[in-house]
Amino acid sequence: MKLFVGLGNPGPKYERNRHNIGFMALDRIARDHGFSPWKAKFQAMICEGNLGGEKVLLLKPQTFMNLSGQSVGEAMRFYKLTSADVVVLHDELDLAPGKARIKQGGGHAGHNGLRSIHSHVGADYARVRLGIGHPGHKDAVAGYVLRDFPKADEDWLDDLMRGISDGAAELARGDGGKFMNAVALRVAPPRSSGTKPKADANKPAQEEPAPDTRSAMKKLMDKFK
């Protein structure tokens, strides 16, 4: 079994906050891939399904962000999972809005949800870092992450959620490269190769004009002919 953990805060007040992008990603996966209804367990909301032949448990801690590790640790112990089975999806200030990156292990970089998970299960789990941008000053971070995404962000946010859902099976199989490709196809689709105007096959190709090799005097004389 794989355990996908989305980070966020519970309740409608926080539902569209930047800090809740991890919850949003799991909601999209559950909806698109026919997961079971959400239910309360492990101090979280959980649902189960299958992605790419892997049984997957989606978990949204309801302990508030700073205590996320309590819920994750409880679920891991119940199912006898290791950190290799866990993927955490969370907001990332140090990535531009709409960007996503996969990281295996490492520090928590001051993220309170990751800090809590570190303290309960260690640091060796995988993370999907979901860019929300930075407000520009560290004193503005708390207010920034706890504000809703503005309407101007809706398009890239929807593309990112679609991409995560598209690549969810690859993520469950542990193929980070294919997962990132699926995301990229949504957030940065390739340009159509048909954007250049095609030459008309019925029209002869126009030749480039020959260079004018006349001297200055010859040009002057020809002008008055």
Side-chain angles (χ1 to χ4, degrees), residues 72-93:
V72 177
E74 192 175 330
M76 286 179 65
R77 287 188 295 274
F78 182 87
Y79 289 107
K80 297 180 172 59
L81 302 177
T82 70
S83 55
D85 303 313
V86 179
V87 181
V88 178
L89 296 90
H90 65 90
D91 57 306
E92 177 58 70
L93 289 162

Side-chain angles (χ1 to χ4, degrees), residues 3-221:
L3 176 62
F4 285 7
V5 179
L7 295 187
N9 288 308
K13 175 182 176 182
Y14 302 100
E15 189 174 355
R16 297 295 296 173
N17 283 185
R18 292 183 176 95
H19 223 14
N20 275 42
I21 195 170
F23 277 14
M24 296 176 196
L26 294 199
D27 286 338
R28 187 60 185 247
I29 292 171
R31 184 168 72 249
D32 288 354
H33 295 276
F35 274 58
S36 67
W38 292 96
K39 63 180 181 180
K41 194 173 183 179
F42 310 125
Q43 304 179 69
M45 296 303 295
I46 67 167
C47 66
E48 296 181 6
N50 190 286
L51 293 171
E54 296 278 349
K55 185 176 181 181
V56 177
L57 178 73
L58 305 182
L59 182 144
K60 299 188 295 184
Q62 302 293 292
T63 54
F64 286 93
M65 185 70 79
N66 295 5
L67 300 175
S68 299
Q70 292 180 5
S71 174
V72 177
E74 192 175 330
M76 286 179 65
R77 287 188 295 274
F78 182 87
Y79 289 107
K80 297 180 172 59
L81 302 177
T82 70
S83 55
D85 303 313
V86 179
V87 181
V88 178
L89 296 90
H90 65 90
D91 57 306
E92 177 58 70
L93 289 162
D94 293 330
L95 284 178
K99 298 290 185 181
R101 295 289 184 272
I102 291 183
K103 182 179 180 180
Q104 186 69 45
H108 54 67
H111 191 291
N112 288 331
L114 299 183
R115 189 198 308 271
S116 177
I117 294 173
H118 273 47
S119 68
H120 284 269
V121 307
D124 296 331
Y125 54 91
R127 306 97 187 268
V128 177
R129 304 161 62 216
L130 305 174
I132 61 169
H134 198 287
H137 195 282
K138 64 180 182 180
D139 291 343
V141 165
Y144 178 77
V145 299
L146 292 176
R147 281 198 294 270
D148 287 359
F149 283 104
K151 286 189 177 297
D153 288 354
E154 287 180 0
D155 286 346
W156 71 253
L157 182 59
D158 186 59
D159 287 342
L160 181 59
M161 295 298 102
R162 288 173 182 267
I164 291 168
S165 180
D166 290 348
E170 307 298 348
L171 188 62
R173 284 192 286 259
D175 194 329
K178 287 186 177 179
F179 168 74
M180 288 302 302
N181 285 342
V183 174
L185 285 172
R186 286 290 189 180
V187 301
R191 293 183 179 180
S192 169
S193 59
T195 53
K196 289 185 178 180
K198 294 182 179 179
D200 189 337
N202 296 318
K203 289 184 179 179
Q206 292 184 347
E207 295 183 359
E208 291 289 330
D212 189 346
T213 58
R214 297 173 299 168
S215 68
M217 180 61 71
K218 177 64 173 170
K219 290 178 183 178
L220 184 62
M221 291 172 65

